[in-house]
Amino acid sequence: MFDLKKLIEYTLWANDNWIQFLADTQTKEPKLWIRMSHIILAEGVWFDRIKGEKPGQDIWQQLSKTQLRQLYAVHEQIYRTLPDGNVSRIISYKKFNSKEYQSSVEDILMHLVLHGVHHRGQMAMIASSLELKPVNMDYITYCRAHDL
């Protein structure tokens, strides 16, 4: 059985490290900035759905470092409170194509964890192609760094 809180903490750690990487390298590569922005913007879409609010649809825009940090801080609080609620609660929502679906909060949170892993992997490939050393985002690296 997986530990949802631990996976969320891993996600926060990985997002924070990639946002810091973008700032530290001062890269202007839009593919990196847009993917990191997409991870954060997509989280916001799902958090809005969980709250029963209509989400924004511009999930592929490029955010600035300041915008990424601000949204990350908001999401950090949401991520840390959601698992303490009823994660088996079913959410009804519409995708951007207007199709209606239902998912548990737990499945949505797991989706966000995996969605971030997918796009951060793409970012590592892009960074490598630019001859930048990508951040090691291996889950086991997170566990070792936090004595887990």
Side-chain angles (χ1 to χ4, degrees), residues 17-148:
N17 275 278
W18 268 106
I19 293 168
Q20 193 61 49
F21 171 87
L22 293 173
D24 290 347
T25 62
Q26 299 180 359
T27 181
K28 303 281 190 239
E29 174 55 54
K31 290 177 184 176
L32 289 171
W33 284 94
I34 289 170
R35 275 177 179 71
M36 190 67 240
S37 299
H38 172 70
I39 292 168
I40 299 296
L41 291 166
E43 289 173 350
V45 164
W46 285 104
F47 295 150
D48 286 346
R49 288 175 175 155
I50 289 169
K51 292 185 283 186
E53 298 174 2
K54 184 175 178 173
Q57 294 190 15
D58 192 0
I59 58 172
W60 286 102
Q61 64 179 298
Q62 183 173 324
L63 301 175
S64 69
K65 177 179 73 171
T66 301
Q67 291 170 314
L68 282 171
R69 279 278 168 220
Q70 288 171 342
L71 283 175
Y72 171 86
V74 170
H75 294 183
E76 182 178 23
Q77 295 308 309
I78 295 169
Y79 264 131
R80 289 199 169 126
T81 58
L82 277 175
D84 293 330
N86 180 4
V87 294
S88 62
R89 179 171 56 107
I90 301 298
I91 303 298
S92 297
Y93 57 93
K94 285 185 181 182
K95 294 278 289 179
F96 296 145
N97 63 9
S98 296
K99 288 187 180 180
E100 294 185 19
Y101 295 92
Q102 294 184 335
S103 300
S104 69
V105 171
E106 181 178 48
D107 286 344
I108 290 168
L109 290 171
M110 188 63 173
H111 166 72
L112 290 176
V113 167
L114 297 173
H115 178 258
V117 168
H118 168 74
H119 287 298
R120 287 187 302 269
Q122 291 176 328
M123 291 173 67
M125 288 182 62
I126 294 165
S128 292
S129 75
L130 297 170
E131 298 185 7
L132 297 171
K133 184 179 179 195
V135 184
N136 180 346
M137 291 291 96
D138 289 343
Y139 178 73
I140 200 71
T141 301
Y142 163 78
C143 292
R144 289 177 189 145
H146 293 86
D147 294 321
L148 302 174

